[in-house]
Amino acid sequence: MARSRKRLIEGNEAIAKARRLRTSPRKLNLLAKMIRGKSVSAALNELAFSKKAISVDVIKCLQSAVANAENNHQLDVDTLIVAEAYVGKNITIKRMRPRARGAGFPIRKPTSDLTIKVREQPEATD
C-alpha cells in the first residue's frame, strides 16, 4: 500500500527546475537574488537586459514556471510573482590541463541547479 505524500506546492503556486546548468552556483545565485520577490514581467525584463550569459537559461526556466502555472494550475499569468528562486550545487566535471614537464593541472567545471517557484498574488482590494 502506497503512502500518500504531502503536496510540496500549494494550489496557487507552480514550479520549474533547470538542472545541470553549466555555471557555478555562486554566479547563478546573483541572478536568482535579482528576480526573487518581483513580478514575472519585471523579472523577465531584468533578465533580458542582464549582461550575464547564463541569464538565457534563467529566462527559459522562468518561462517554464509561468507556462506550468497557466496550463497545469489555471493561474492568471498577469498576477504571478517570483515567490522563490534558489540555486543548488550539482556535479563538478573534472578535466586536466597539460602543463610543462609532463605535469597536469586540474580544471573544475561546476554545474548548478535552479528552482523557480511562482505564486499568484491575490488581487488588492481598495
Side-chain angles (χ1 to χ4, degrees), residues 23-65:
T23 187
S24 70
R26 187 173 175 178
K27 291 178 184 177
L28 188 57
N29 197 36
L30 293 173
L31 290 176
K33 274 198 267 187
M34 188 170 72
I35 65 171
R36 204 174 287 139
K38 294 188 177 179
S39 70
V40 169
S41 58
L44 285 171
N45 271 342
E46 289 217 14
L47 290 170
F49 292 105
S50 174
K51 291 182 179 181
K52 306 236 177 245
I54 198 66
S55 66
V56 174
D57 293 323
V58 178
I59 288 173
K60 283 183 189 178
C61 186
L62 182 55
Q63 287 173 338
S64 177

Side-chain angles (χ1 to χ4, degrees), residues 2 5-7 9 16 22 30 41 46 56 60 74-75 90 96 115 121 125:
R5 291 176 53 184
K6 184 182 170 206
R7 188 165 179 205
I9 58 174
R22 218 357 230 109
L30 293 173
S41 58
E46 289 217 14
V56 174
K60 283 183 189 178
Q74 288 73 38
L75 301 179
N90 203 323
M96 290 299 283
T115 304
Q121 187 73 357
T125 56

Side-chain angles (χ1 to χ4, degrees), residues 1-2 4-5 10 12 20 22 24 27 40 42-43 52 56 63 72 75-76 79 82 91-93 96 98 105-106 108:
M1 183 183 252
S4 64
R5 291 176 53 184
E10 296 176 18
N12 64 341
R20 300 273 311 258
R22 218 357 230 109
S24 70
K27 291 178 184 177
V40 169
K52 306 236 177 245
V56 174
Q63 287 173 338
N72 300 343
L75 301 179
D76 185 20
T79 61
V82 180
I91 66 168
T92 300
I93 304 167
M96 290 299 283
F105 188 78
R108 290 175 195 87

